[in-house]
Amino acid sequence: MLTIPLDTTSKLALYEQIYRYIKNEIIQETLPFQSKLPSTRGLAAHLSISRNTVDMAYAQLLSEGYIEAFPKKGYFVSRITALNIINHTEFIKNPPITVSSKTVLPYLYDFSPFSVDLSHFPYQTWHQLSKNCLQDNADLFLLGDSQGDLSLRQAITHYLHQSRGVNCEEDQLIVGAGVDYLLQMLAQLFGTTCHIAMENPTYQRANKIFKGFKIKTIPIPLDSNGLNIDALERTDCTIAYVTPSHQYPLGIVMPIQRRIELLRWANKCSHRYIIEDDHDSEFRYKGKPIPSLQSIASCDNVIYIGTFSRAIAPAIRVGYMVLPKPLLEEYKIKFSYFASTVSRIDQAILTEFINEGYFERHLNRMRKVYKTKHDLILSSLKSSNLPIAISGENAGMHLVVQLTNGMSEESIIKRAKNNQIKLYGLKEHFFTIPKNYDSTFLFGYANLSEADIQKGIHQFATTCF
Amino acid sequence: MLTIPLDTTSKLALYEQIYRYIKNEIIQETLPFQSKLPSTRGLAAHLSISRNTVDMAYAQLLSEGYIEAFPKKGYFVSRITALNIINHTEFIKNPPITVSSKTVLPYLYDFSPFSVDLSHFPYQTWHQLSKNCLQDNADLFLLGDSQGDLSLRQAITHYLHQSRGVNCEEDQLIVGAGVDYLLQMLAQLFGTTCHIAMENPTYQRANKIFKGFKIKTIPIPLDSNGLNIDALERTDCTIAYVTPSHQYPLGIVMPIQRRIELLRWANKCSHRYIIEDDHDSEFRYKGKPIPSLQSIASCDNVIYIGTFSRAIAPAIRVGYMVLPKPLLEEYKIKFSYFASTVSRIDQAILTEFINEGYFERHLNRMRKVYKTKHDLILSSLKSSNLPIAISGENAGMHLVVQLTNGMSEESIIKRAKNNQIKLYGLKEHFFTIPKNYDSTFLFGYANLSEADIQKGIHQFATTCF
């Protein structure tokens, strides 16, 4: 008979104490293979507990395979070999809380080109929309359409048409958890045999994603009008990844003639595609936004891709892409069984945010906020008396500043760090560094206050002398 | 001089009307290459508008490359060739709203094995937590940790340890937008050269994902204890994808001895891994949940993967996986630059939901709700007098029902459809259909009311006679 020490004051149920005790005896082979267990009635009487409790413990041992039941004979320990390979520390205490490696450094002025200004975010509106969505729609907790909910796709399709001239039906639109995720989908659609032409310099995360899928990427040099089409023609690339409205990171606007040449390149073969990454097209401070390349394409070969990360907030993990119809067919075959990566509640909030006009008002407000900061950092840099050349202005959220005082990019970044300034070099955006490269920095200004922009640039100037 | 028809009542700004007019003249080559445009002063006087308006129009044409400025000479039309390839329908009217192809059919009884019961979802709590998160944390709109926010990873790590015995540090946990997304990441970590062993039948979406990455998957037969290890040993697979606690779709619980054999297989070579998909482990109606395979592994070679889709709601796009340390190193190299696919607001709500005890209470409530439905569908089926064999009971959200009346699976599904019953056949879960296969169905019951379960099974019975 098993004498099992039971603790009636324990949080553990009695049946679980019995189950654990017998399981450990089997693991430690104190109860070897073929040992007969006491009958449930007998053990219950021995321990002065209800038979039901013992039944539950035995049932659990049975379902996990530690014991077997033979009708009219009783319960026996199963043959379990090599128990020594089991981890005996199943019940370790909780692991200590470690501090995340991403501790924020005490920079006073962080010129990140990826930051956004959230101080003007309409939290109250978002909160109110969130409340409405949660109250009205219990079915938002069910799984939705894998491409994104129809109402959101309609809202985005309408917005893209109005603001960017994008021509598409909502069926061509795929909503996903960020541009990186959508690029991963594209990579799978293209397969590993295609070669992708990329601007040099470019958004290197896209390059990393393509390479992660074993797709060869080929850097194409830029001239003052953007991607060099002659160089593109000399490659065997079938895909070109471009940022025509505001080249990332240099800020070049691809003029109409170059756009036509790029479209002609794509039109030459039926399997050529252009990926137009329209990452910060909403923010142009001089005139109106440059129309998208997709809007003027006569053949269905431009994949338009964008995000709400910059126009709303980075934490809103919603990107979108417009697929040409031939690719859409393939997408539907390969991906329609995938669950959407975006929470339906977020989709519903965003739909209302766009449809009720909040998004447009927010964009108009932010354009003013960013323009003020843009003008201020530009004038601060110009009045700094540094030997610099500025480019990429009038749009986006950063300027490109080339410094010609002979100091290396690395040494300036290091010196700036000592002055509590975080600088972002251009170098890492290149596949290969061009000859006669001068130290160049991306100056993001979106999340700095006006006072900090002035102080930060002043501090930067002293760093360079 | 250009006479541009201006409409002062239009919503379009005057500068934009001028810009559009001249752009169209250039596209239609009414204004050919090298045509000189009127001076801004001259055109302004001619149209009786402010010079600033004309300046803005010209600036936009300049930035898009339609015209060029020559100092002291004026503005000239750029050389733009092959304009004919441009899409002239840039300003089409909005596309008509098409009805999504996924229209819900009028089924009265849908026995989907993937549905959940949301009628008991604590909407008020979720709403309140959502409100608190939005009010307190403006920084939730900034981009967070790519693995998921530390506080959420701590909450999940603690939960998995308590409820499933999973041993890991929060640094090993990756939060992502659903299991499908996490499996895609795993596929990229493994690379295309590995072969993955899968249970036959299995969760075919996982198979499709692996195949999408050109990874070869090899079906392994099951016996009454789950994956046949001898058959696994005869393959050159280095990865085994398994569902040991409740095999999907058959519902087999892998007993301890088979688990040990599987772990021994993995321990034999340093690059072997087991993917343990613990998809519905929270719901066990007899005894306590079966401990995870990961909890007893002595070597660091089990990838544990799970989701909140079933335990909370499918629309909460949050899954998680625990990576063994060698894979974690690789993950950090390949993916740490990726943005998280889960909204930080959702992460914050979920963290509170777990930490404040709501999750556990919700699970306890749902276990009771599902158990009642489970018992009811079981008794309804048993009293139907159909020639059936039932398996996979006591856990999860569906039963496996084998029908031995000689009718084919397809014909029963079709007949059921005519009776407004949606049935789910087992066949599609197989790589190859076994010999002597009898029509078998998965009966999900989670989202059916008790009355509908009884009526639906009654209706099903009449379909089969």
Side-chain angles (χ1 to χ4, degrees), chain B residues 76-337:
Chain B
F76 294 84
V77 174
S78 305
R79 180 194 293 277
I80 303 166
T81 54
L83 276 168
N84 59 317
I85 77 154
I86 285 193
N87 180 1
H88 283 236
T89 61
E90 183 181 343
F91 299 99
I92 60 163
K93 56 184 191 303
N94 287 325
I97 290 168
T98 53
V99 176
S100 165
S101 56
K102 295 210 166 172
T103 316
V104 181
L105 283 164
Y107 284 111
L108 283 179
Y109 312 104
D110 184 336
F111 288 101
S112 169
F114 283 111
S115 68
V116 294
D117 182 346
L118 289 176
S119 63
H120 298 78
F121 185 79
Y123 294 102
Q124 278 311 315
T125 303
W126 195 266
H127 174 204
Q128 188 58 45
L129 293 175
S130 160
K131 194 172 152 184
N132 299 349
C133 289
L134 281 166
Q135 278 177 338
D136 299 350
N137 302 297
D139 66 345
L140 282 183
F141 288 83
L142 289 169
L143 203 58
D145 192 296
S146 76
Q147 281 188 223
D149 284 347
L150 183 64
S151 53
L152 175 60
R153 285 186 284 122
Q154 284 170 342
I156 296 176
T157 303
H158 184 75
Y159 161 69
L160 289 179
H161 183 66
Q162 293 299 318
S163 78
R164 314 287 305 122
V166 170
N167 295 311
C168 72
E169 292 164 20
E170 60 269 3
D171 189 45
Q172 290 174 267
L173 200 86
I174 320 284
V175 172
V179 164
D180 292 357
Y181 175 71
L182 295 169
L183 289 175
Q184 288 179 61
M185 276 196 167
L186 278 184
Q188 289 180 70
L189 283 180
F190 295 146
T192 53
T193 52
C194 81
H195 294 176
I196 301 186
M198 299 191 81
E199 296 163 329
N200 186 28
T202 191
Y203 177 57
Q204 285 292 345
R205 207 144 80 186
N207 181 34
K208 281 188 189 168
I209 290 168
F210 295 139
K211 282 189 160 171
F213 284 84
K214 316 272 184 221
I215 294 175
K216 196 172 169 191
T217 55
I218 294 170
I220 308 289
L222 304 182
D223 58 32
S224 61
N225 289 334
L227 198 80
N228 183 315
I229 306 293
D230 289 339
L232 173 63
E233 293 275 12
R234 285 193 295 271
T235 70
D236 57 356
C237 293
T238 50
I239 318 279
Y241 171 89
V242 292
T243 48
S245 295
H246 190 231
Q247 204 274 334
Y248 186 84
L250 297 182
I252 300 164
V253 177
M254 190 185 279
I256 182 69
Q257 178 60 23
R258 185 61 56 87
R259 288 174 186 238
I260 290 172
E261 289 165 20
L262 182 57
L263 289 170
R264 284 175 84 180
W265 167 84
N267 291 353
K268 274 182 196 163
C269 300
S270 65
H271 287 293
R272 285 187 180 169
Y273 289 103
I274 297 165
I275 305 173
E276 175 180 21
D277 187 342
D278 211 19
H279 59 290
D280 59 7
S281 57
E282 294 87 357
F283 298 106
R284 200 168 156 72
Y285 314 121
K286 199 180 131 185
K288 60 190 219 75
I290 307 293
S292 68
L293 187 64
Q294 202 268 7
S295 71
I296 59 164
S298 58
C299 295
D300 203 5
N301 50 15
V302 177
I303 299 154
Y304 180 88
I305 193 162
T307 172
F308 290 106
S309 290
R310 317 212 76 181
I312 298 183
I316 309 297
R317 305 303 305 146
V318 186
Y320 45 83
M321 65 177 171
V322 174
L323 287 183
K325 287 185 178 163
L327 275 180
L328 185 67
E329 297 299 306
E330 258 185 86
Y331 168 88
K332 292 202 171 184
I333 293 165
K334 282 194 177 170
F335 293 109
S336 61
Y337 54 86

Side-chain angles (χ1 to χ4, degrees), chain A residues 60 64 80-81 85 87 92 97 140 154 161 184 205 256-257 288 296 298 315 317 337-338 340, chain B residues 60 64 80-81 85 87 92 97 140 154 161 184 205 213 256-257 288 296 298 315 317 337-338 340:
Chain A
Q60 188 70 23
E64 294 184 24
I80 303 167
T81 53
I85 77 155
N87 181 1
I92 59 162
I97 290 168
L140 281 183
Q154 284 170 342
H161 183 65
Q184 288 178 61
R205 206 144 80 184
I256 182 69
Q257 178 58 24
K288 59 189 221 74
I296 59 163
S298 58
R317 304 303 306 146
Y337 54 85
F338 274 33
S340 166
Chain B
Q60 188 70 23
E64 294 184 23
I80 303 166
T81 54
I85 77 154
N87 180 1
I92 60 163
I97 290 168
L140 282 183
Q154 284 170 342
H161 183 66
Q184 288 179 61
R205 207 144 80 186
F213 284 84
I256 182 69
Q257 178 60 23
K288 60 190 219 75
I296 59 164
S298 58
R317 305 303 305 146
Y337 54 86
F338 274 33
S340 166

